Amino acid sequence: MKIIDKYLLKSFLITFATVFVILFFIFVLQSIWLFIAELAGKDLDAMTIFKFIFYYSPIMVPLVLPLSILLASIMTFGSFAENYEFAAMKSGGISLGRAMKYLIVCTVLFSGIAFLFANNIIPEAQYRFINLRKTIVQTKPAMAIGEGQFSKIGTTTSIHVEKKSGENGSFLEGVTMHMKKGEFGTVTTVIKAKKGVLKSDESTNLLQLDLLDGNYYEDIQPKKFEERDKLPFAKSSFKKYTVTIDLAKLNGASEDGAEIVNAYNMLNMSELKYTIDSLQTTFNKDVTAYSDNLDKSAESLTMVYNAPVSSSVVVPKKTKISDDLMDLFPIDKKTLVLDVAKNNINNTIFTLDGYKTDLEFKQNNINDHWIGYYDKILIAYSCLLMFFIGAPLGAIIRKGGLGLPIVFAVLIFIVFNFANTFGKKLAGQDALHPFIGTAAGALILTPFAILFTYRATNDMGLTIDLDWLVLPIKKFLTKQNTNSLPSENTTTNES
């Protein structure tokens, strides 16, 4: 390795390390806000909070690493070009491609580390993170419920506690529960109790809440419209009322961080492949079973239609049979046949809707696992992609520092993440192939990486010459205008 290579590599690595640490801290701090309600005011010790953040931090690496490579490469090569260091290298016979040689090797190394990190460390961190949250709730059940505030449990229930006491805050005072009808419905049930006791068992995934000495209120929806204005409700009192809370709902993240609780994020590539094969086999068996059930339903429907014909209908040999099947049935049986046919059709439609919903859910689950599989490969490729965009772009724009490079880096990374997010969403809904959905951002930016690298290595700049396309059009329009001009006519004076 020559001195110039050591200088380039040192400059790039120093910039990369600085950018990575800053961005990693910003991304982790921003993500912690998703779980700030679980950490604040829950009497957790410093070690538990440290583990909570430590297990969640690896999830940020796939976002921070490509962005750090992009920004570091733009800043490094932009600074070299701005200070005419590249001009000095070129005068000494060192091209841009030669200058990028060891940096490409370094980026390939980063890509390999990113792949190993995504395939081994992140799934383990996900698993430990989810189990830590579950353990915290089981050992300290009061953590699930904040004091003096409404704590949301699942999507339909909220609970308010005036005061907590006892070991781990398991004894509650002044408990109020609101239950909605549906996720977006209004509150239909209110439970108020003077006291409550939280109980948990490490062998189960359930949390038990015993409410003592309280009242139960439930809104009643009258059938008659004119009675609804009276707002009737039912009220009952109780000495003890037990509510069971599923810890899976408490371990579920908010909408912004919902991905972390999915099982496919806790598996490496070999485990994902095995799981996908199992899910696909089950899916194919279900399709076959559903098809057989429909065939049996059709056979039973045919038997119902044939029974009246064989027992009640006698067709004379010389009578011409009508094309209308209903003419084969007696008048008193036609209504019965139509009712049976209508009921069978409705049952078949209902069954088909159920089959469709079940198969769509299972197919989407398979797609999610494929997304997790391809995403580990994409993380490695995105590191190379961002380098081959950032390094040529920095040499072209000839600007270092934190000004223009940050603008370009943010714009490129927004496009990359925006395309990946929508692509994965569509792929999860079976609207796109999982590979295309996962690699949407890479597919969009790869042509730009090739274009920037080609133009930077050939000193062509960022402006693209379109004369080959514009000049023929100009010549054609000029020719058309010349032909449309009126010819000069000689005028004669009449005497």
Side-chain angles (χ1 to χ4, degrees):
M1 184 183 293
K2 296 182 179 180
I3 297 176
I4 188 66
D5 296 321
K6 293 181 180 179
Y7 173 68
L8 290 170
L9 191 59
K10 179 181 178 181
S11 300
F12 175 77
L13 290 178
I14 291 175
T15 306
F16 168 79
T18 304
V19 172
F20 182 84
V21 171
I22 294 173
L23 291 178
F24 186 77
F25 176 77
I26 294 174
F27 273 73
V28 170
L29 187 62
Q30 181 269 337
S31 300
I32 291 301
W33 285 105
L34 297 174
F35 309 102
I36 195 66
E38 295 186 19
L39 301 176
K42 300 299 175 67
D43 298 328
L44 298 177
D45 56 276
M47 181 56 68
T48 302
I49 296 177
F50 174 77
K51 287 182 179 179
F52 195 95
I53 298 174
F54 180 75
Y55 291 150
Y56 183 74
S57 298
I59 304 171
M60 296 294 102
V61 173
L63 289 174
V64 177
L65 187 59
L67 180 58
S68 300
I69 292 175
L70 174 64
L71 187 55
S73 58
I74 295 178
M75 292 174 62
T76 302
F77 282 77
S79 178
F80 288 158
E82 185 179 16
N83 297 325
Y84 299 101
E85 291 178 273
F86 272 140
M89 293 179 196
K90 291 176 183 178
S91 65
I94 300 176
S95 64
L96 179 62
R98 171 63 183 81
M100 294 170 59
K101 178 181 177 181
Y102 285 97
L103 295 183
I104 293 174
V105 174
C106 181
T107 307
V108 171
L109 181 61
F110 283 148
S111 299
I113 294 174
F115 174 76
L116 295 175
F117 200 87
N119 191 48
N120 299 295
I121 297 180
I122 291 180
E124 181 67 20
Q126 293 271 30
Y127 175 79
R128 291 179 179 271
F129 179 72
I130 296 302
N131 280 275
L132 177 63
R133 298 178 70 186
K134 178 180 177 181
T135 302
I136 291 173
V137 175
Q138 287 178 333
T139 56
K140 295 187 177 185
M143 176 187 171
I145 302 172
E147 183 178 309
Q149 62 182 6
F150 272 98
S151 302
K152 194 172 182 180
I153 301 175
T155 58
T156 60
T157 305
S158 299
I159 185 169
H160 180 275
V161 175
E162 293 180 0
K163 185 179 179 180
K164 296 190 296 183
S165 60
E167 184 179 1
N168 295 327
S170 299
F171 298 100
L172 313 178
E173 296 182 11
V175 182
T176 303
M177 294 186 67
H178 290 173
M179 299 180 182
K180 296 188 297 183
K181 187 176 183 180
E183 183 176 356
F184 302 101
T186 57
V187 176
T188 58
T189 302
V190 178
I191 302 175
K192 295 180 70 68
K194 293 181 179 180
K195 295 182 179 181
V197 180
L198 279 170
K199 300 178 181 179
S200 63
D201 186 357
E202 295 184 5
S203 61
T204 66
N205 199 40
L206 300 176
L207 182 67
Q208 181 177 316
L209 172 59
D210 292 335
L211 300 176
L212 308 174
D213 193 11
N215 297 294
Y216 183 98
Y217 305 89
E218 183 176 4
D219 292 335
I220 299 176
Q221 188 74 12
K223 295 182 179 180
K224 295 183 179 180
F225 184 78
E226 57 272 12
E227 295 181 0
R228 296 181 182 179
D229 293 336
K230 299 179 181 179
L231 302 177
F233 67 92
K235 175 184 177 181
S236 61
S237 58
F238 57 83
K239 291 294 182 181
K240 181 179 180 180
Y241 184 82
T242 301
V243 179
T244 302
I245 301 172
D246 189 358
L247 293 180
K249 296 180 179 180
L250 297 175
N251 284 329
S254 62
E255 293 181 359
D256 295 330
E259 298 84 3
I260 66 166
V261 298
N262 293 327
Y264 61 86
N265 281 336
M266 303 180 193
L267 305 176
N268 57 35
M269 291 187 70
S270 60
E271 293 170 340
L272 281 169
K273 196 65 173 66
Y274 178 81
T275 305
I276 290 170
D277 291 339
S278 300
L279 292 175
Q280 190 65 54
T281 301
T282 303
F283 179 83
N284 294 336
K285 289 181 179 179
D286 288 341
V287 172
T288 303
Y290 293 160
S291 178
D292 292 340
N293 291 338
L294 290 175
D295 291 340
K296 292 179 182 178
S297 299
E299 291 176 3
S300 62
L301 182 61
T302 303
M303 294 177 60
V304 172
Y305 288 158
N306 289 337
V309 176
S310 60
S311 60
S312 303
V313 180
V314 178
V315 182
K317 295 182 179 180
K318 297 183 179 180
T319 303
K320 184 179 180 181
I321 299 177
S322 173
D323 293 334
D324 189 357
L325 293 178
M326 293 303 297
D327 293 339
L328 299 177
F329 297 92
I331 297 177
D332 57 338
K333 295 290 184 68
K334 288 184 178 181
T335 303
L336 176 62
V337 172
L338 291 174
D339 289 340
V340 172
K342 182 179 179 181
N343 291 333
N344 277 279
I345 291 172
N346 290 334
N347 291 336
T348 302
I349 292 174
F350 180 79
T351 302
L352 285 174
D353 289 339
Y355 290 167
K356 180 182 177 182
T357 302
D358 183 57
L359 292 177
E360 284 180 350
F361 175 80
K362 291 180 178 179
Q363 183 61 56
N364 292 343
N365 188 31
I366 295 174
N367 292 338
D368 288 338
H369 282 73
W370 275 118
I371 290 171
Y373 183 87
Y374 292 128
D375 201 31
K376 301 181 189 305
I377 303 174
L378 178 68
I379 291 172
Y381 177 73
S382 62
C383 294
L384 285 172
L385 177 64
M386 292 303 168
F387 177 78
F388 280 103
I389 290 178
L393 187 60
I396 291 173
I397 63 175
R398 299 180 181 180
K399 288 290 183 182
L402 295 174
L404 195 59
I406 287 183
V407 175
F408 278 102
V410 169
L411 290 177
I412 293 170
F413 201 70
I414 286 176
V415 172
F416 182 74
N417 269 340
F418 188 84
N420 282 345
T421 301
F422 274 84
K424 291 177 183 178
K425 188 72 174 179
L426 293 175
Q429 297 174 352
D430 206 28
L432 282 177
H433 189 277
F435 176 77
I436 297 177
T438 306
L443 293 175
I444 292 173
L445 293 181
T446 297
F448 290 96
I450 297 173
L451 177 64
F452 291 159
T453 303
Y454 174 78
R455 299 189 70 83
T457 53
N458 290 277
D459 295 327
M460 299 175 66
L462 193 59
T463 305
I464 301 176
D465 185 12
L466 297 177
D467 288 344
W468 60 274
L469 178 64
V470 176
L471 287 178
I473 298 175
K474 285 184 177 180
K475 290 180 180 180
F476 176 77
L477 294 176
T478 303
K479 185 177 180 181
Q480 292 295 322
N481 291 334
T482 302
N483 294 335
S484 64
L485 292 176
S487 59
E488 296 182 358
N489 296 324
T490 55
T491 58
T492 57
N493 296 326
E494 296 181 358
S495 57

